[in-house]
Amino acid sequence: MLTVLLASALAVAALMTVTALVARRRRQVVVVDAAWGTGFVLVAVVCAALGDAPVRWLLLAMVGVWGLRLARHTLTRLLQSGEEDPRYAELLDGKPFSYAVTRVFLTQGVAMWFVSLPVQVAAVTETRWWWVVAVGVVVWAVGLVFETVGDAQLAAYKKQPKESRPKVMDQGLWRYTRHPNYFGDACVWWGIWLVGLGGGLVGLATVLSPAVMTYFLVFATGAKLLEKTMMQREGYPEYAERTSMFVPLPPRKQPVS
């Protein structure tokens, strides 16, 4: 297990170093978003190569499908935009690039390694409870659907002419949660954790990994941070009043004026 943990840490460190160099050359810290999904896939590959538990191949497939889709999606968005993400622009306003190295690249690298602990531990742990693994795959699949469909629905909305489309995207999955992609992301990692939990109590020790991922998605770099910008848009406060922020729920009925 120590070998897998160390090799995963080295792989993440190498990836984030390369990403930081690319970001400095492009003068866009947002390129780190494209490395996020790729980094988890890299860890899963390392675990599959060095581990000995059969479930490591299932985890490689699960992380691979999720991570490569996310990397492709974020890279496409980055190339189309060509601009810095407002979140990073605000965070790094007036600060040197060295600040981004510690606050963004180092932080996300450590988070990536920590969140992927269930994959690392499961790669060297014999599976005992296959029914838990099955539940994990179902939760992962639900998350992948929410993330994929949510992103596709938002992309279709953005392709509509601004003058004719609704002011706020509130259709499809976005009718039940203001952030279906973030909710899906959380489900994916709780599902992966459950697959690792199939190995017994040693898997339980990694429960903080999906908890930290959920915290990032809701409070740190995800929904709450994005909400600060979105609340300035016309129609969004009204949308927020009737729609759950994270967990999908039926829209709240608005009082009749």
Side-chain angles (χ1 to χ4, degrees):
M1 183 177 295
L2 183 60
T3 300
V4 169
L5 295 175
L6 180 59
S8 298
L10 292 174
V12 169
L15 175 65
M16 298 310 288
T17 298
V18 172
T19 304
L21 293 174
V22 172
R24 184 170 185 176
R25 183 174 181 178
R26 290 178 58 93
R27 297 183 179 179
Q28 284 183 294
V29 176
V30 70
V31 298
V32 73
D33 288 355
W36 182 248
T38 306
F40 286 106
V41 177
L42 180 60
V43 170
V45 170
V46 169
C47 293
L50 300 180
D52 56 4
V55 78
R56 71 190 191 277
W57 299 111
L58 172 62
L59 286 168
L60 174 59
M62 293 170 68
V63 176
V65 170
W66 169 82
L68 293 177
R69 189 214 72 86
L70 180 61
R72 178 179 178 275
H73 175 74
T74 52
L75 183 60
T76 300
R77 186 176 59 189
L78 170 64
L79 294 176
Q80 289 177 345
S81 170
E83 300 177 355
E84 183 63 281
D85 189 296
R87 296 172 300 162
Y88 297 121
E90 180 180 356
L91 178 66
L92 304 172
D93 185 31
K95 298 180 178 64
F97 187 79
S98 58
Y99 183 81
V101 171
T102 55
R103 189 66 185 272
V104 178
F105 298 98
L106 179 60
T107 300
Q108 290 204 22
V110 172
M112 187 185 299
W113 180 85
F114 186 81
V115 169
S116 64
L117 278 177
V119 180
Q120 301 175 51
V121 172
V124 292
T125 305
E126 181 182 356
T127 301
R128 300 179 182 179
W129 305 328
W130 283 101
W131 67 270
V132 178
V133 173
V135 173
V137 172
V138 171
V139 173
W140 169 86
V142 169
L144 188 66
V145 168
F146 263 85
E147 189 172 359
T148 303
V149 173
D151 283 340
Q153 290 175 340
L154 182 60
Y157 165 80
K158 289 182 175 179
K159 287 182 179 179
Q160 300 177 43
K162 288 186 177 182
E163 57 274 10
S164 60
R165 73 188 185 192
K167 295 177 181 178
V168 177
M169 172 56 176
D170 60 355
Q171 302 299 312
L173 295 178
W174 299 82
R175 183 170 182 264
Y176 305 99
T177 167
R178 306 203 297 272
H179 303 282
N181 44 359
Y182 289 153
F183 171 76
D185 228 352
C187 286
V188 163
W189 281 97
W190 281 107
I192 289 172
W193 174 75
L194 283 169
V195 171
L197 184 61
L201 294 181
V202 65
L204 186 62
T206 63
V207 67
L208 286 180
S209 296
V212 166
M213 173 64 101
T214 304
Y215 173 80
F216 269 93
L217 291 169
V218 178
F219 299 105
T221 60
K224 284 288 187 181
L225 188 60
L226 183 59
E227 290 274 304
K228 292 181 180 180
T229 302
M230 297 302 296
M231 283 297 182
Q232 307 302 317
R233 295 192 179 184
E234 184 181 359
Y236 197 87
E238 293 78 12
Y239 168 62
E241 287 183 3
R242 65 178 183 268
T243 309
S244 171
M245 188 188 79
F246 195 71
V247 178
L249 294 171
R252 291 183 286 270
K253 293 184 179 180
Q254 300 299 299
V256 179
S257 57

